[in-house]
Amino acid sequence: MTSSATALPSLRSLSVEIHAGVAEVQLLGPSKGNAMGPDFWTELPAVFDALSTDDAVRSVLLYGSGGNFSYGLDLPAMAPVFAPLLAAGGMDAKLREGFRRQIKDLQDAVTSLARCAKPVIAAVDGWCIGGAIDVIAAADIRIASRTARFSLREVRVAIVADLGSLQRLPAIIGEGATRQLALTGEDFDADRAAALGLVTELADDVVARGRELAVQIAANPPLVVQGVKQVLNRRTQAQVQDGLEYVQVWNTAFLASRDFGEATAAFAERRPPVYRGE
């Protein structure tokens, strides 16, 4: 990291460099496709909360390494979060409350982009799946390469998306489009993402274009820029927070299902899942 004002411990899932008012945050993995494991969920809020209070930073650019933004939640690495509740059949109230708090912690990690005082630009290349869409939905500006691909895929693994996409996307792409993407879990390409308004523009070199936008923002009066973000956030933040709290309770009650167990087994066995509504 290059900054005298921001001090962070050693990072494994992210790298941070700060130059001329622009902080560049890169997803590093270490899982395949920058999948989001325990390190990511700890480091993401630490990084964005630090950047929020760093006077040397005026804008933030977030992008992935290795040709992808992120494959989303690293299910094998995050299995310990789900395992106790599944083993108890969802019947232990203390386990359920602990699980709800874990959902809240993951939600708060994503929300660190929205609450960051500095505007955040997400530059998407390659795949952006599941939890990665939660993350970019919390950014202020989203742009993509022409080869980017997206999927709000949680429904396909027996999960109600609970980290912010269902709360934030309706204001970005509309209610109807959000429902279609969330209910089908379908993959869609960069042209469709642009047509929906999920991304505001496509670029051949998305990181270079992201840097141009970040520099342009950084040249504007910083307090005014932060004020614009705060005023825009004010429109939806109460509604978003209410939705996040509701889905915490819903998934705490229903995620420990036989269908979710089937999803995890099918993932491990590399076969299509068979869901029975149980």
Side-chain angles (χ1 to χ4, degrees):
M1 177 181 304
T2 305
S3 174
S4 58
T6 299
L8 283 169
S10 176
L11 300 171
R12 295 189 68 227
S13 69
L14 303 168
S15 69
V16 183
E17 294 187 358
I18 302 172
H19 302 287
V22 175
E24 293 194 12
V25 181
Q26 186 178 30
L27 284 68
L28 301 176
S31 299
K32 184 178 179 181
N34 306 319
M36 300 166 172
D39 290 326
F40 173 84
W41 296 110
T42 298
E43 293 172 2
L44 186 73
V47 165
F48 276 90
D49 288 346
L51 296 176
S52 183
T53 58
D54 188 340
D55 290 339
V57 176
R58 294 190 173 193
S59 61
V60 184
L61 175 64
L62 176 67
Y63 59 95
S65 63
N68 289 291
F69 187 80
S70 174
Y71 287 176
L73 190 71
D74 187 340
L75 285 172
M78 297 298 289
V81 173
F82 304 107
L85 191 68
L86 291 171
M91 298 303 294
D92 187 308
K94 187 174 182 179
L95 280 176
R96 288 202 308 272
E97 172 57 15
F99 183 67
R100 186 196 65 78
R101 285 196 218 118
Q102 288 175 314
I103 295 173
K104 181 180 183 300
D105 287 345
L106 300 185
Q107 290 176 342
D108 287 347
V110 172
T111 297
S112 67
L113 276 72
R115 71 171 173 257
C116 179
K118 319 303 167 56
V120 180
I121 301 164
V124 179
D125 190 19
W127 278 106
C128 181
I129 300 173
I133 291 188
D134 293 298
V135 169
I136 68 168
D140 299 283
I141 298 171
R142 289 156 297 279
I143 61 175
S145 71
R146 300 181 191 280
T147 56
R149 293 181 64 79
F150 303 81
S151 180
L152 186 56
R153 195 172 291 183
E154 285 88 345
V155 69
R156 287 162 57 181
V157 290
I159 298 174
V160 174
D162 57 6
L163 303 185
S165 57
L166 299 186
Q167 290 72 35
R168 294 186 172 98
L169 284 181
I172 298 168
I173 65 173
E175 183 80 18
T178 300
R179 286 176 184 262
Q180 180 172 334
L181 298 178
L183 291 169
T184 62
E186 62 194 16
D187 300 344
F188 57 102
D189 62 17
D191 287 335
R192 187 171 179 204
L196 291 172
L198 178 60
V199 299
T200 53
E201 62 179 272
L202 304 179
D204 293 322
D205 187 334
V206 72
V207 174
R209 177 56 181 151
R211 287 179 179 135
E212 290 176 355
L213 288 171
V215 168
Q216 185 177 356
I217 291 169
N220 288 329
L223 293 180
V224 174
V225 166
Q226 293 171 38
V228 169
K229 177 167 181 172
Q230 290 170 13
V231 170
L232 287 171
N233 281 355
R234 187 76 174 182
R235 289 178 51 251
T236 58
Q237 66 187 51
Q239 185 177 12
V240 167
Q241 186 58 38
D242 182 64
L244 290 173
E245 291 173 5
Y246 182 80
V247 76
Q248 287 173 27
V249 176
W250 203 99
N251 268 358
T252 298
F254 290 104
L255 190 137
S257 65
R258 289 191 177 96
D259 278 348
F260 181 69
E262 165 65 7
T264 57
F267 181 84
E269 296 165 12
R270 300 181 181 276
R271 61 170 175 80
V274 179
Y275 295 130
R276 304 185 186 279
E278 298 175 349

